Amino acid sequence: DYFGISVGLNGSLAVIGAPNNNAAYVFDGASGSQLLQLTAPDSNSNGFGFAISVAGNRVLVGATNDNDLATFAGAAYLFRPVSIPLP
């Protein structure tokens, strides 16, 4: 799954990408508990989780092989999950 190819950290919040699983996993770094699994809202986002950035409770996830606009054009998805506590 290439779990861990990308990691975003902010305080005790850790987001880990797994682009071959088209997912990003949100963890509480203090307890190690998984809080969420993020996936793209569309079906063309292969490579989702290849790049991760975290700021506050906002998570930006890159998908290298998103094909919506062109073959392998890529995309970025911004999430603000309400269940992620601010560190």
Side-chain angles (χ1 to χ4, degrees):
D1 291 340
Y2 288 109
F3 181 84
I5 195 168
S6 58
V7 176
L9 302 171
N10 186 13
S12 65
L13 186 67
V15 182
I16 301 173
N20 278 8
N21 196 32
N22 289 320
Y25 300 91
V26 181
F27 290 91
D28 177 348
S31 69
S33 299
Q34 182 179 332
L35 302 174
L36 294 169
Q37 177 180 347
L38 302 175
T39 56
D42 61 13
S43 62
N44 294 328
S45 61
N46 294 324
F48 180 89
F50 191 81
I52 304 285
S53 183
V54 181
N57 65 350
R58 291 182 178 95
V59 178
L60 185 66
V61 181
T64 56
N65 299 332
D66 187 288
N67 295 320
D68 284 342
L69 297 177
T71 303
F72 303 120
Y77 299 87
L78 180 63
F79 297 87
R80 185 175 176 185
V82 293
S83 61
I84 296 177
L86 286 172

